[in-house]
């Protein structure tokens, strides 16, 4: 027996997903300044690249995605595959870092911006749909491919804009506004992608609420702990890296006589 699953959203978690995305975007904008040619230092560049990838890919996109998934309410048991969830995190960070690297080599190159924007946008799309593919439940997805196309378009435009903003914002107030705009775009891509999926339950009524079990499956009840732990760890790394970068900057300042 097949039945369409009714879904709704917990608005508090929707707002939290936006706040997390904005936080990641802001940290990425701050970290990206260390990638500019005039600030080049091999060690600083590598750490800045890693921090930018973690901030935007790991927090701004990945953590936002799974907090947003927790915001979905449905009368069906849901679990998440450890493999797809983990791979989606690695992909989000790696692709984000590579996109920043491409633009950083020549921030004024439109060709590089468009290439990296396409890469970053498709990386966000892969992360989103891989994360959804990793969902385990008694049924399957029914997709609206037109809406998937819209979500891809949003991701491409948002990613290109994000990279431009990363290398063209200097004041903290401007970065905050830019991060807010970037977070709106990331959330728009996510929730458009979610609206493209219809959950079809094929499980018997008595097993509908059963959470899929398995050694490589995290239940929807355990997912918050996983996401919070990883998001906290990534945020702690970013804060420590920014503190290290600040002290490094102070040490390399020319002395005034």
């Amino acid at each position: 027996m097949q039945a369409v699953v009714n879904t709704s959203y917990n608005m508090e978690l929707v707002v939290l997903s936006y706040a997390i995305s904005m936080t990641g975007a802001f940290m990425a904008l701050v970290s990206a300044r260390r990638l500019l040619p005039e600030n080049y230092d091999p060690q600083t560049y590598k750490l800045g690249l890693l921090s930018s990838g973690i901030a935007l890919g790991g927090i701004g996109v990945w953590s936002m995605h799974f907090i947003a998934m927790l915001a979905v309410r449905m009368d069906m048991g849901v679990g998440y595959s450890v493999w797809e969830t983990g791979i989606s995190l690695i992909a989000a960070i790696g692709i984000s870092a590579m996109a920043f690297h491409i633009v950083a080599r020549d921030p004024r190159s439109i060709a590089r911006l468009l290439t990296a924007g396409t890469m970053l946008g498709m990386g966000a799309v892969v992360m989103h749909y891989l994360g959804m593919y990793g969902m385990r439940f008694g049924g399957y997805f029914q997709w609206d491919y037109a809406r998937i196309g819209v979500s891809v378009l949003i991701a491409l435009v948002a990613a290109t804009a994000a990279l431009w903003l990363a290398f063209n914002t200097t004041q903290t107030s401007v970065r905050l506004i830019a991060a807010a705009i970037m977070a709106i775009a990331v959330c728009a891509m996510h929730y458009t992608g979610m609206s493209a999926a219809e959950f079809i339950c094929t499980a018997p009524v008595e097993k509908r609420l059963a959470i899929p079990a398995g050694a490589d499956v995290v239940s929807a009840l355990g997912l918050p702990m996983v996401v919070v732990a990883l998001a906290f760890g990534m945020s702690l790394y970013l804060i420590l890296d920014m503190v290290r970068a600040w002290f490094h900057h102070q040490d390399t300042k020319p002395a005034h006589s």
Side-chain angles (χ1 to χ4, degrees):
M1 180 179 178
Q2 298 184 357
V4 177
V5 178
N6 294 320
T7 58
S8 60
Y9 284 90
N10 179 314
M11 292 311 297
E12 287 82 1
L13 288 176
V14 170
V15 173
L16 178 60
S17 72
Y18 172 78
I20 288 175
S21 184
M22 181 176 171
T23 299
F26 179 73
M27 287 181 168
L29 292 178
V30 173
S31 296
R33 299 303 300 172
R34 287 184 279 160
L35 305 179
L36 291 173
E38 58 265 29
N39 300 328
Y40 186 76
D41 169 76
Q43 183 180 3
T44 298
Y45 183 85
K46 291 175 183 177
L47 290 173
L49 204 58
L50 178 61
S51 294
S52 298
I54 289 175
L56 188 59
I59 296 177
V61 176
W62 187 87
S63 297
M64 174 272 155
H65 170 89
F66 284 100
I67 292 297
M69 293 307 299
L70 291 171
V72 181
R73 295 287 181 258
M74 62 181 83
D75 57 341
M76 179 175 64
V78 176
Y80 293 85
S81 165
V82 171
W83 296 109
E84 281 90 343
T85 300
I87 292 171
S88 68
L89 173 59
I90 295 170
I93 293 174
I95 294 172
S96 296
M98 180 58 70
F100 276 108
H101 173 64
I102 290 173
V103 178
R105 294 184 66 183
D106 185 0
R108 286 176 284 194
S109 170
I110 299 300
R112 284 184 175 275
L113 177 65
L114 294 177
T115 299
T118 300
M119 177 186 292
L120 183 58
M122 292 309 299
V125 169
V126 168
M127 186 273 115
H128 174 82
Y129 288 103
L130 184 58
M132 292 193 69
Y133 180 74
M135 293 181 74
R136 299 290 183 264
F137 59 94
Y140 61 92
F141 290 113
Q142 189 166 286
W143 296 100
D144 180 333
Y145 292 102
R147 292 194 184 189
I148 289 178
V150 173
S151 72
V152 172
L153 181 61
I154 292 173
L156 294 176
V157 173
T160 304
L163 289 172
W164 186 89
L165 290 169
F167 293 96
N168 289 277
T169 55
T170 54
Q171 296 179 343
T172 300
S173 58
V174 176
R175 286 177 185 165
L176 283 170
I177 295 172
I181 295 171
M182 286 168 61
I184 289 173
V186 170
C187 290
M189 184 278 291
H190 173 87
Y191 290 109
T192 299
M194 281 298 296
S195 72
E198 197 168 56
F199 294 85
I200 308 297
C201 182
T202 57
V205 175
E206 63 273 15
K207 295 184 178 180
R208 185 173 175 130
L209 295 177
I211 297 176
D216 61 345
V217 175
V218 178
S219 75
L221 298 176
L223 185 64
M225 295 179 62
V226 174
V227 175
V228 168
L230 287 172
F232 177 78
M234 288 186 286
S235 298
L236 182 60
Y237 167 80
L238 290 170
I239 291 171
L240 292 175
D241 180 54
M242 288 178 183
V243 171
R244 185 210 65 80
W246 185 83
F247 278 111
H248 177 75
H249 177 70
Q250 295 301 309
D251 291 340
T252 55
K253 270 186 178 180
H256 294 286
S257 55

